[in-house]
Amino acid sequence: MTHDPHGWTALVLAGQRPGVDPVAAHFGLEAKALMPVAGELMLGRVLMALADTPQVARIIVLAQNTLKLKAHPDLAWAVEEPRITFQVSGPTISGSVLAAVNDPAIGLPVLVTTADNVMLTPATLAEFIAGAGSSDVSVAMVERARLEAAVGPNRRTWLTFKGGAYTGANLFALTAPAARNALTFWERVEQDRKSVLRLASHFGPVLMAKLLLRRMTVHEALAAAGTKLGASAAPVLLSDGRMGVDVDKVEDHALAERLLTARN
């Protein structure tokens, strides 16, 4: 497989948020990224999907403890792979991504994903990259009906707009310098990410009212949010409903195992 040498840089967020991660703790592990799912490390699955995607020129794993990740025998292949490097991340996710984007050796365009995005495949990455062309920031999302058709009813953080409910797919594209404005904003609001109300409050009362009353489609809402951020923003709606599943809870791990076993 030939890779585009001028292609995308993928940043894989493989660090730990402050405090104990409930999923890692359940399995007696310190690092969530090193948790196996259906016989493969979560981080290994994500790195393999990226390494098998021709549009991805290089992959940077960001984590607080890169030595622990690199020492794992199941990641020996990744340590040997010339396109994959491991970098120590900063204290916040957005700050770490911003530092990478501002590094002249990295620059743009950049894909951002997470070590627990275990349903990721080269086909989904190609679909997302194809859809991420026209805006500064692209956000991968999965429609609720599509996810439930693929995996059954599911507890997720659902964002409800005019025309449907959506969940994020832990996949972002930053393609233009204005994307830095979005990262700077995200650094300010990151702690509110799980509360739709608190997150919406950062965008001002008019946009918040329209969101609460479901007056906007997902495309209109992201476009309006982007205007506030000083960057154009658009969703890329993924066709694989399983992409709405990441491993945030113990029951997510069981679901991911079931889906991956079925796929294999």
Side-chain angles (χ1 to χ4, degrees):
M1 184 186 297
T2 55
H3 286 80
D4 177 359
H6 309 294
W8 292 73
T9 298
L11 304 178
V12 182
L13 308 175
Q16 301 278 96
R17 290 194 181 274
V20 175
D21 183 281
V23 191
H26 178 83
F27 289 95
L29 294 167
E30 277 178 59
K32 180 182 168 184
L34 296 179
M35 186 161 58
V37 57
E40 298 262 7
L41 298 189
M42 291 206 300
L43 176 57
R45 281 190 178 278
V46 172
L47 293 178
M48 235 169 267
L50 289 163
D52 286 343
T53 302
Q55 299 92 324
V56 174
R58 59 185 167 163
I59 302 158
I60 300 170
V61 180
L62 292 171
Q64 293 97 334
N65 191 339
T66 54
L67 293 176
K68 174 172 278 185
L69 301 183
K70 288 168 79 173
H72 197 290
D74 288 4
L75 291 176
W77 71 271
V79 175
E80 296 293 311
E81 166 59 57
R83 284 178 298 135
I84 300 177
T85 54
F86 291 74
Q87 279 188 21
V88 176
S89 61
T92 67
I93 289 172
S94 44
S96 303
V97 175
L98 190 57
V101 168
N102 285 333
D103 181 342
I106 299 172
L108 296 163
V110 160
L111 289 173
V112 183
T113 191
T114 56
D116 66 354
N117 199 4
V118 293
M119 304 312 298
L120 199 61
T121 62
T124 290
L125 283 159
E127 177 187 39
F128 178 64
I129 288 167
S134 54
S135 54
D136 304 329
V137 179
S138 298
V139 183
M141 299 182 90
V142 175
E143 193 180 359
R144 183 171 191 160
R146 209 173 260 277
L147 182 139
E148 292 186 341
V151 309
N154 212 257
R155 268 181 38 223
R156 295 276 138 213
T157 303
W158 294 109
L159 305 171
T160 307
F161 302 99
K162 187 170 114 185
Y166 302 84
T167 192
N170 281 359
L171 188 57
F172 305 88
L174 312 172
T175 51
R180 293 185 177 97
N181 300 336
L183 288 168
T184 306
F185 175 86
W186 187 247
E187 199 161 24
R188 290 209 309 276
V189 307
E190 201 173 313
Q191 69 280 6
D192 293 336
R193 74 191 188 286
K194 288 289 185 186
S195 164
V196 177
L197 272 181
R198 282 209 300 273
L199 199 53
S201 70
H202 290 280
F203 290 96
V206 176
L207 182 53
M208 187 168 170
K210 284 183 173 174
L211 287 171
L212 289 176
L213 295 169
R214 296 176 189 167
R215 295 273 166 83
M216 305 173 104
T217 65
V218 62
H219 290 85
E220 289 165 347
L222 272 174
T227 304
K228 286 272 183 194
L229 301 180
S232 63
V236 177
L237 305 180
L238 299 177
S239 57
D240 185 351
R242 297 170 299 187
M243 276 299 298
V245 175
D246 60 5
V247 186
D248 275 341
K249 304 184 289 293
V250 175
E251 58 264 37
D252 294 339
H253 183 272
L255 173 61
E257 291 226 295
R258 180 165 66 74
L259 294 172
L260 287 165
T261 305
R263 190 165 80 190
N264 293 344

